[in-house]
Amino acid sequence: MKMPKTRRTYCKWCKKHTVHKIKVVKKRKRGELKQGQRRFRRIEKGYGGYPRAKPQGEKPTRRHDLRYTCKECNRSSTKKGFRTKRLDFE
């Protein structure tokens, strides 16, 4: 999928539409102290199999997370990611 490097969108700090720079960010490692992860570790502990069904194969696409940086105030915000095989900036 082709996408422009800049886009005019709403900035929640400037409270108006401004030009934003777009870049892809890598996902970071999940936090071990989050409630869901603690629950998962507790279920995983002890005798027995894996608590959930294992995923069947790999997905053909990956979810891209985009970071939008305002050119006026230089603050960044992330939008909800979407699935695509490849993401190119023009």
Side-chain angles (χ1 to χ4, degrees):
M1 180 179 167
K2 289 189 178 180
M3 235 183 137
K5 286 180 186 172
T6 59
R7 182 180 176 186
R8 236 178 104 75
T9 186
Y10 185 76
C11 176
K12 58 185 177 183
W13 290 281
C14 297
K15 301 208 183 326
K16 60 183 178 181
H17 279 73
T18 56
V19 177
H20 284 69
K21 239 182 343 187
I22 307 170
K23 74 172 189 176
V24 180
V25 282
K26 286 187 179 178
K27 293 198 172 178
R28 62 187 177 89
K29 195 180 167 204
R30 287 186 179 169
E32 285 291 321
L33 294 175
K34 299 282 184 184
Q35 177 61 46
Q37 193 65 22
R38 293 198 312 261
R39 188 180 298 125
F40 175 76
R41 293 285 182 229
R42 192 173 64 239
I43 295 167
E44 198 180 39
K45 206 175 354 180
Y47 179 78
Y50 196 73
R52 293 171 185 84
K54 291 203 173 160
Q56 298 295 317
E58 268 191 43
K59 293 194 176 183
T61 59
R62 57 187 288 247
R63 191 177 293 273
H64 294 282
D65 287 335
L66 301 178
R67 179 164 292 158
Y68 290 80
T69 310
C70 179
K71 285 197 172 179
E72 284 187 23
C73 64
N74 218 21
R75 304 280 285 286
S76 309
S77 62
T78 51
K79 305 274 181 177
K80 190 168 187 270
F82 54 89
R83 289 194 172 278
T84 176
K85 194 169 242 179
R86 214 171 87 198
L87 188 64
D88 293 327
F89 291 108
E90 19 177 70

